[in-house]
Amino acid sequence: MPDRTTAARIDLRRLRLRAVLTQEELAFKAGVGIRTIRDIESGRTRPQPRTLRLLIEALGAEAEPVAAAAPRELPRPLAGFTGRELPLESLLAAVDGGAEVVAVHGTAGVGKTSLAVRAAHALADRYPDGQLFIDLHGFSDAEGLRPALESMLTRVIRSLDPACRARPEELDELTATYRSTLAGRRVLLLLDNASGAEQIERLLPGTPDSLVIATSRRDLSALLSAHAVPLGPPPLHEAVAMLDAAAGGRVTADEAAAIAERCGRLPLAMGLAAARLRSRPQWKAGDLLDRLADEDRLLDEIDTGHRGVAAALHASYRELDPDHRLLLRRLGLNPGDDVDVHAAAALSGIDADRTSGMLEALVDV
């Protein structure tokens, strides 16, 4: 017959106090070390089956099943996170006002995930039943990374209710189980890097107890009742502060401003530029600026492979259909920084009305 204590845990401190025993007395009675008692009560260790059996016998108690610890999956907040006061305040105020879904959208590398993670950590205590982080891989530089809806639903169910035996094969039944699992729980779901509103819609809880923070390069305004937080490049003074924090004080305000402008004030690009400067102790800010001056080599200078700016841009490019890809490539032939609809239409060979809509679509990625 299997030892049932292997599938159970006890609230040792509560049972010990109920038995009016000190830690030393319980250790002596059970024949275990005092340090073992302390480590179990503090949560630093989980008792082995034999130890658990001895403790139960010494206390005259029954093993009590304990619910699995609530998942705490949020990534570490970005070290040196600074600025973004207005969008962060907007997000937190929306939650204070009762928002159940907050959607952060903006271009690649603008800092959506960093903002969402920072906000999620600030709100974590309000959602004691768990904080889940799910990368939806809506925009990815590699094929095959986007998870199926079934796998995401199942993952959340298992995280929140490991004892749940129901694993419906039909998507409708699985979705119902997902919503039933979330019902009555206060859970924070951070759904990162969505391909669009439809991907988020399928993962929304059916009850108002939980909070969803979603990020995407596309506008998620199609999510009804969602509070939108559009995120653009930070103002110059915030960009300077970000670079100063990331570079460890190795740049002056003027140098930081120049680097920020070379990087389009995109936090991802600025962070990579600062990392390059930190990795070259012999460099001065001027050396980095010289390398960033060549627009043809700018991306190469701050490239780090799959997490670089080029990879982020390529992930957006992969999501475009052939006509949008053609238009984007042809826009690169324009000699200036600005282009109007008629010039874009002439470059792409597409009529002006359709080009206007396509330009709007490109803004969203």
mmCIF file of all heavy atoms in Angstrom, residues 125-160:
data_model
loop_
_atom_site.group_PDB
_atom_site.id
_atom_site.type_symbol
_atom_site.label_atom_id
_atom_site.label_comp_id
_atom_site.label_asym_id
_atom_site.label_seq_id
_atom_site.Cartn_x
_atom_site.Cartn_y
_atom_site.Cartn_z
ATOM 1 N N ASP A 125 0.795 41.990 -5.155
ATOM 2 C CA ASP A 125 0.169 41.692 -3.857
ATOM 3 C C ASP A 125 -1.360 41.674 -3.934
ATOM 4 O O ASP A 125 -2.015 41.081 -3.073
ATOM 5 C CB ASP A 125 0.620 42.706 -2.808
ATOM 6 C CG ASP A 125 2.075 42.519 -2.410
ATOM 7 O OD1 ASP A 125 2.628 41.451 -2.727
ATOM 8 O OD2 ASP A 125 2.658 43.434 -1.809
ATOM 9 N N ARG A 126 -1.911 42.329 -4.917
ATOM 10 C CA ARG A 126 -3.374 42.355 -5.045
ATOM 11 C C ARG A 126 -3.918 41.052 -5.648
ATOM 12 O O ARG A 126 -5.130 40.841 -5.641
ATOM 13 C CB ARG A 126 -3.812 43.523 -5.939
ATOM 14 C CG ARG A 126 -3.309 44.881 -5.495
ATOM 15 C CD ARG A 126 -3.976 45.961 -6.329
ATOM 16 N NE ARG A 126 -3.284 47.245 -6.237
ATOM 17 C CZ ARG A 126 -3.688 48.349 -6.827
ATOM 18 N NH1 ARG A 126 -4.787 48.325 -7.581
ATOM 19 N NH2 ARG A 126 -3.016 49.478 -6.707
ATOM 20 N N TYR A 127 -3.028 40.234 -6.167
ATOM 21 C CA TYR A 127 -3.460 39.007 -6.845
ATOM 22 C C TYR A 127 -2.717 37.817 -6.215
ATOM 23 O O TYR A 127 -1.811 37.240 -6.823
ATOM 24 C CB TYR A 127 -3.203 39.132 -8.347
ATOM 25 C CG TYR A 127 -3.984 40.285 -8.924
ATOM 26 C CD1 TYR A 127 -3.422 41.559 -9.006
ATOM 27 C CD2 TYR A 127 -5.310 40.127 -9.295
ATOM 28 C CE1 TYR A 127 -4.165 42.640 -9.470
ATOM 29 C CE2 TYR A 127 -6.051 41.204 -9.770
ATOM 30 C CZ TYR A 127 -5.476 42.450 -9.853
ATOM 31 O OH TYR A 127 -6.209 43.523 -10.317
ATOM 32 N N PRO A 128 -3.129 37.470 -4.990
ATOM 33 C CA PRO A 128 -2.392 36.462 -4.213
ATOM 34 C C PRO A 128 -2.503 35.044 -4.741
ATOM 35 O O PRO A 128 -1.731 34.170 -4.333
ATOM 36 C CB PRO A 128 -3.033 36.573 -2.821
ATOM 37 C CG PRO A 128 -4.424 37.072 -3.091
ATOM 38 C CD PRO A 128 -4.291 38.009 -4.260
ATOM 39 N N ASP A 129 -3.446 34.792 -5.643
ATOM 40 C CA ASP A 129 -3.621 33.429 -6.136
ATOM 41 C C ASP A 129 -2.681 33.082 -7.284
ATOM 42 O O ASP A 129 -2.720 31.959 -7.812
ATOM 43 C CB ASP A 129 -5.073 33.206 -6.566
ATOM 44 C CG ASP A 129 -6.032 33.308 -5.383
ATOM 45 O OD1 ASP A 129 -5.662 32.853 -4.288
ATOM 46 O OD2 ASP A 129 -7.128 33.873 -5.545
ATOM 47 N N GLY A 130 -1.866 34.036 -7.675
ATOM 48 C CA GLY A 130 -0.860 33.731 -8.687
ATOM 49 C C GLY A 130 -0.616 34.868 -9.651
ATOM 50 O O GLY A 130 -1.507 35.682 -9.918
ATOM 51 N N GLN A 131 0.618 34.915 -10.138
ATOM 52 C CA GLN A 131 0.982 35.836 -11.210
ATOM 53 C C GLN A 131 1.679 35.014 -12.289
ATOM 54 O O GLN A 131 2.730 34.431 -12.061
ATOM 55 C CB GLN A 131 1.917 36.946 -10.708
ATOM 56 C CG GLN A 131 1.348 37.776 -9.565
ATOM 57 C CD GLN A 131 1.913 37.334 -8.234
ATOM 58 O OE1 GLN A 131 3.111 37.105 -8.120
ATOM 59 N NE2 GLN A 131 1.079 37.232 -7.220
ATOM 60 N N LEU A 132 1.038 34.949 -13.449
ATOM 61 C CA LEU A 132 1.523 34.106 -14.549
ATOM 62 C C LEU A 132 2.068 34.974 -15.676
ATOM 63 O O LEU A 132 1.464 35.987 -16.037
ATOM 64 C CB LEU A 132 0.405 33.214 -15.084
ATOM 65 C CG LEU A 132 -0.281 32.290 -14.069
ATOM 66 C CD1 LEU A 132 -1.360 31.467 -14.754
ATOM 67 C CD2 LEU A 132 0.725 31.374 -13.407
ATOM 68 N N PHE A 133 3.195 34.556 -16.226
ATOM 69 C CA PHE A 133 3.801 35.234 -17.371
ATOM 70 C C PHE A 133 3.804 34.270 -18.544
ATOM 71 O O PHE A 133 4.365 33.174 -18.450
ATOM 72 C CB PHE A 133 5.232 35.672 -17.052
ATOM 73 C CG PHE A 133 5.923 36.351 -18.207
ATOM 74 C CD1 PHE A 133 5.827 37.726 -18.364
ATOM 75 C CD2 PHE A 133 6.670 35.626 -19.124
ATOM 76 C CE1 PHE A 133 6.466 38.359 -19.419
ATOM 77 C CE2 PHE A 133 7.301 36.250 -20.184
ATOM 78 C CZ PHE A 133 7.194 37.628 -20.334
ATOM 79 N N ILE A 134 3.164 34.669 -19.632
ATOM 80 C CA ILE A 134 3.082 33.805 -20.819
ATOM 81 C C ILE A 134 3.570 34.583 -22.035
ATOM 82 O O ILE A 134 2.988 35.610 -22.399
ATOM 83 C CB ILE A 134 1.644 33.311 -21.060
ATOM 84 C CG1 ILE A 134 1.114 32.571 -19.826
ATOM 85 C CG2 ILE A 134 1.594 32.409 -22.285
ATOM 86 C CD1 ILE A 134 -0.334 32.143 -19.943
ATOM 87 N N ASP A 135 4.656 34.113 -22.633
ATOM 88 C CA ASP A 135 5.156 34.706 -23.877
ATOM 89 C C ASP A 135 4.382 34.080 -25.026
ATOM 90 O O ASP A 135 4.514 32.882 -25.296
ATOM 91 C CB ASP A 135 6.654 34.447 -24.025
ATOM 92 C CG ASP A 135 7.258 35.178 -25.216
ATOM 93 O OD1 ASP A 135 6.493 35.689 -26.061
ATOM 94 O OD2 ASP A 135 8.494 35.240 -25.300
ATOM 95 N N LEU A 136 3.572 34.875 -25.686
ATOM 96 C CA LEU A 136 2.728 34.376 -26.768
ATOM 97 C C LEU A 136 3.477 34.257 -28.095
ATOM 98 O O LEU A 136 2.935 33.717 -29.065
ATOM 99 C CB LEU A 136 1.509 35.293 -26.942
ATOM 100 C CG LEU A 136 0.623 35.444 -25.700
ATOM 101 C CD1 LEU A 136 -0.528 36.402 -25.985
ATOM 102 C CD2 LEU A 136 0.082 34.097 -25.257
ATOM 103 N N HIS A 137 4.695 34.784 -28.158
ATOM 104 C CA HIS A 137 5.530 34.682 -29.357
ATOM 105 C C HIS A 137 4.781 35.157 -30.596
ATOM 106 O O HIS A 137 4.911 34.566 -31.678
ATOM 107 C CB HIS A 137 6.017 33.240 -29.562
ATOM 108 C CG HIS A 137 6.995 32.775 -28.527
ATOM 109 N ND1 HIS A 137 8.309 33.170 -28.496
ATOM 110 C CD2 HIS A 137 6.824 31.960 -27.449
ATOM 111 C CE1 HIS A 137 8.920 32.607 -27.466
ATOM 112 N NE2 HIS A 137 8.040 31.875 -26.814
ATOM 113 N N GLY A 138 3.988 36.213 -30.422
ATOM 114 C CA GLY A 138 3.263 36.751 -31.568
ATOM 115 C C GLY A 138 4.182 37.272 -32.642
ATOM 116 O O GLY A 138 3.886 37.191 -33.839
ATOM 117 N N PHE A 139 5.306 37.828 -32.219
ATOM 118 C CA PHE A 139 6.327 38.303 -33.152
ATOM 119 C C PHE A 139 7.624 37.610 -32.765
ATOM 120 O O PHE A 139 8.154 37.821 -31.677
ATOM 121 C CB PHE A 139 6.487 39.824 -33.077
ATOM 122 C CG PHE A 139 5.276 40.578 -33.536
ATOM 123 C CD1 PHE A 139 4.225 40.818 -32.656
ATOM 124 C CD2 PHE A 139 5.166 41.030 -34.836
ATOM 125 C CE1 PHE A 139 3.097 41.508 -33.062
ATOM 126 C CE2 PHE A 139 4.031 41.713 -35.258
ATOM 127 C CZ PHE A 139 3.000 41.952 -34.376
ATOM 128 N N SER A 140 8.122 36.764 -33.649
ATOM 129 C CA SER A 140 9.315 35.987 -33.339
ATOM 130 C C SER A 140 10.222 35.940 -34.559
ATOM 131 O O SER A 140 9.749 35.889 -35.696
ATOM 132 C CB SER A 140 8.937 34.565 -32.911
ATOM 133 O OG SER A 140 10.100 33.773 -32.758
ATOM 134 N N ASP A 141 11.529 35.938 -34.289
ATOM 135 C CA ASP A 141 12.498 35.887 -35.377
ATOM 136 C C ASP A 141 12.674 34.474 -35.915
ATOM 137 O O ASP A 141 13.353 34.260 -36.902
ATOM 138 C CB ASP A 141 13.851 36.417 -34.878
ATOM 139 C CG ASP A 141 14.823 36.659 -36.013
ATOM 140 O OD1 ASP A 141 14.380 37.103 -37.089
ATOM 141 O OD2 ASP A 141 16.032 36.393 -35.835
ATOM 142 N N ALA A 142 12.065 33.496 -35.255
ATOM 143 C CA ALA A 142 12.186 32.101 -35.696
ATOM 144 C C ALA A 142 10.808 31.497 -35.888
ATOM 145 O O ALA A 142 9.838 31.902 -35.241
ATOM 146 C CB ALA A 142 12.982 31.290 -34.672
ATOM 147 N N GLU A 143 10.726 30.508 -36.746
ATOM 148 C CA GLU A 143 9.457 29.845 -37.010
ATOM 149 C C GLU A 143 9.142 28.814 -35.920
ATOM 150 O O GLU A 143 10.034 28.267 -35.282
ATOM 151 C CB GLU A 143 9.503 29.149 -38.375
ATOM 152 C CG GLU A 143 9.616 30.108 -39.550
ATOM 153 C CD GLU A 143 9.548 29.383 -40.880
ATOM 154 O OE1 GLU A 143 9.267 28.167 -40.862
ATOM 155 O OE2 GLU A 143 9.776 30.016 -41.913
ATOM 156 N N GLY A 144 7.866 28.565 -35.736
ATOM 157 C CA GLY A 144 7.455 27.466 -34.872
ATOM 158 C C GLY A 144 7.435 27.753 -33.391
ATOM 159 O O GLY A 144 7.218 26.841 -32.593
ATOM 160 N N LEU A 145 7.662 28.995 -32.971
ATOM 161 C CA LEU A 145 7.705 29.290 -31.546
ATOM 162 C C LEU A 145 6.336 29.647 -30.978
ATOM 163 O O LEU A 145 6.128 29.557 -29.770
ATOM 164 C CB LEU A 145 8.675 30.448 -31.270
ATOM 165 C CG LEU A 145 10.166 30.136 -31.421
ATOM 166 C CD1 LEU A 145 10.995 31.378 -31.112
ATOM 167 C CD2 LEU A 145 10.585 28.989 -30.511
ATOM 168 N N ARG A 146 5.393 30.072 -31.813
ATOM 169 C CA ARG A 146 4.099 30.508 -31.300
ATOM 170 C C ARG A 146 3.334 29.312 -30.752
ATOM 171 O O ARG A 146 3.042 28.360 -31.470
ATOM 172 C CB ARG A 146 3.295 31.191 -32.407
ATOM 173 C CG ARG A 146 2.018 31.860 -31.883
ATOM 174 C CD ARG A 146 1.315 32.604 -33.002
ATOM 175 N NE ARG A 146 2.154 33.645 -33.558
ATOM 176 C CZ ARG A 146 1.794 34.403 -34.600
ATOM 177 N NH1 ARG A 146 0.620 34.215 -35.190
ATOM 178 N NH2 ARG A 146 2.607 35.326 -35.057
ATOM 179 N N PRO A 147 2.995 29.324 -29.465
ATOM 180 C CA PRO A 147 2.322 28.160 -28.870
ATOM 181 C C PRO A 147 0.876 28.062 -29.323
ATOM 182 O O PRO A 147 0.218 29.063 -29.599
ATOM 183 C CB PRO A 147 2.412 28.439 -27.363
ATOM 184 C CG PRO A 147 2.494 29.935 -27.265
ATOM 185 C CD PRO A 147 3.250 30.383 -28.485
ATOM 186 N N ALA A 148 0.390 26.831 -29.382
ATOM 187 C CA ALA A 148 -1.013 26.606 -29.719
ATOM 188 C C ALA A 148 -1.882 27.050 -28.551
ATOM 189 O O ALA A 148 -1.463 27.021 -27.390
ATOM 190 C CB ALA A 148 -1.252 25.136 -30.023
ATOM 191 N N LEU A 149 -3.109 27.457 -28.858
ATOM 192 C CA LEU A 149 -4.029 27.894 -27.817
ATOM 193 C C LEU A 149 -4.228 26.796 -26.779
ATOM 194 O O LEU A 149 -4.271 27.065 -25.570
ATOM 195 C CB LEU A 149 -5.363 28.288 -28.447
ATOM 196 C CG LEU A 149 -6.487 28.686 -27.486
ATOM 197 C CD1 LEU A 149 -6.087 29.883 -26.639
ATOM 198 C CD2 LEU A 149 -7.769 28.977 -28.270
ATOM 199 N N GLU A 150 -4.357 25.545 -27.234
ATOM 200 C CA GLU A 150 -4.576 24.430 -26.306
ATOM 201 C C GLU A 150 -3.447 24.332 -25.283
ATOM 202 O O GLU A 150 -3.700 24.093 -24.092
ATOM 203 C CB GLU A 150 -4.691 23.111 -27.079
ATOM 204 C CG GLU A 150 -5.946 22.979 -27.916
ATOM 205 C CD GLU A 150 -5.817 23.612 -29.297
ATOM 206 O OE1 GLU A 150 -4.801 24.319 -29.541
ATOM 207 O OE2 GLU A 150 -6.713 23.425 -30.132
ATOM 208 N N SER A 151 -2.210 24.521 -25.721
ATOM 209 C CA SER A 151 -1.083 24.389 -24.791
ATOM 210 C C SER A 151 -1.072 25.522 -23.778
ATOM 211 O O SER A 151 -0.720 25.320 -22.608
ATOM 212 C CB SER A 151 0.241 24.350 -25.565
ATOM 213 O OG SER A 151 0.524 25.608 -26.158
ATOM 214 N N MET A 152 -1.474 26.724 -24.190
ATOM 215 C CA MET A 152 -1.523 27.839 -23.247
ATOM 216 C C MET A 152 -2.625 27.657 -22.215
ATOM 217 O O MET A 152 -2.423 27.912 -21.013
ATOM 218 C CB MET A 152 -1.711 29.157 -24.016
ATOM 219 C CG MET A 152 -0.516 29.538 -24.854
ATOM 220 S SD MET A 152 -0.693 31.154 -25.640
ATOM 221 C CE MET A 152 -1.902 30.798 -26.910
ATOM 222 N N LEU A 153 -3.790 27.208 -22.654
ATOM 223 C CA LEU A 153 -4.885 26.961 -21.714
ATOM 224 C C LEU A 153 -4.494 25.884 -20.702
ATOM 225 O O LEU A 153 -4.710 26.034 -19.488
ATOM 226 C CB LEU A 153 -6.138 26.530 -22.477
ATOM 227 C CG LEU A 153 -6.770 27.560 -23.422
ATOM 228 C CD1 LEU A 153 -7.872 26.904 -24.246
ATOM 229 C CD2 LEU A 153 -7.322 28.752 -22.649
ATOM 230 N N THR A 154 -3.906 24.809 -21.214
ATOM 231 C CA THR A 154 -3.513 23.710 -20.341
ATOM 232 C C THR A 154 -2.451 24.143 -19.350
ATOM 233 O O THR A 154 -2.474 23.759 -18.171
ATOM 234 C CB THR A 154 -2.997 22.526 -21.183
ATOM 235 O OG1 THR A 154 -4.021 22.094 -22.061
ATOM 236 C CG2 THR A 154 -2.563 21.371 -20.296
ATOM 237 N N ARG A 155 -1.529 24.958 -19.802
ATOM 238 C CA ARG A 155 -0.455 25.403 -18.914
ATOM 239 C C ARG A 155 -0.993 26.203 -17.736
ATOM 240 O O ARG A 155 -0.572 26.039 -16.593
ATOM 241 C CB ARG A 155 0.541 26.256 -19.692
ATOM 242 C CG ARG A 155 1.776 26.555 -18.867
ATOM 243 C CD ARG A 155 2.616 27.655 -19.453
ATOM 244 N NE ARG A 155 3.203 28.403 -18.350
ATOM 245 C CZ ARG A 155 3.631 29.633 -18.453
ATOM 246 N NH1 ARG A 155 3.502 30.276 -19.567
ATOM 247 N NH2 ARG A 155 4.165 30.226 -17.428
ATOM 248 N N VAL A 156 -1.940 27.104 -18.009
ATOM 249 C CA VAL A 156 -2.522 27.901 -16.931
ATOM 250 C C VAL A 156 -3.290 27.013 -15.961
ATOM 251 O O VAL A 156 -3.188 27.157 -14.733
ATOM 252 C CB VAL A 156 -3.438 28.998 -17.505
ATOM 253 C CG1 VAL A 156 -4.192 29.716 -16.388
ATOM 254 C CG2 VAL A 156 -2.626 30.006 -18.308
ATOM 255 N N ILE A 157 -4.057 26.069 -16.487
ATOM 256 C CA ILE A 157 -4.817 25.153 -15.627
ATOM 257 C C ILE A 157 -3.867 24.389 -14.708
ATOM 258 O O ILE A 157 -4.092 24.280 -13.493
ATOM 259 C CB ILE A 157 -5.647 24.172 -16.480
ATOM 260 C CG1 ILE A 157 -6.735 24.926 -17.242
ATOM 261 C CG2 ILE A 157 -6.277 23.092 -15.601
ATOM 262 C CD1 ILE A 157 -7.429 24.092 -18.311
ATOM 263 N N ARG A 158 -2.792 23.865 -15.260
ATOM 264 C CA ARG A 158 -1.841 23.096 -14.451
ATOM 265 C C ARG A 158 -1.127 23.963 -13.429
ATOM 266 O O ARG A 158 -0.838 23.516 -12.319
ATOM 267 C CB ARG A 158 -0.814 22.425 -15.373
ATOM 268 C CG ARG A 158 -1.384 21.244 -16.155
ATOM 269 C CD ARG A 158 -0.364 20.692 -17.117
ATOM 270 N NE ARG A 158 -0.866 19.501 -17.790
ATOM 271 C CZ ARG A 158 -0.295 18.951 -18.851
ATOM 272 N NH1 ARG A 158 0.793 19.502 -19.372
ATOM 273 N NH2 ARG A 158 -0.799 17.864 -19.402
ATOM 274 N N SER A 159 -0.834 25.203 -13.788
ATOM 275 C CA SER A 159 -0.144 26.095 -12.851
ATOM 276 C C SER A 159 -1.013 26.422 -11.648
ATOM 277 O O SER A 159 -0.526 26.483 -10.514
ATOM 278 C CB SER A 159 0.263 27.392 -13.562
ATOM 279 O OG SER A 159 1.220 27.148 -14.566
ATOM 280 N N LEU A 160 -2.299 26.647 -11.900
ATOM 281 C CA LEU A 160 -3.200 27.067 -10.828
ATOM 282 C C LEU A 160 -3.821 25.894 -10.078
ATOM 283 O O LEU A 160 -4.172 26.027 -8.897
ATOM 284 C CB LEU A 160 -4.307 27.959 -11.398
ATOM 285 C CG LEU A 160 -3.854 29.287 -11.997
ATOM 286 C CD1 LEU A 160 -5.029 30.006 -12.632
ATOM 287 C CD2 LEU A 160 -3.208 30.172 -10.934
#
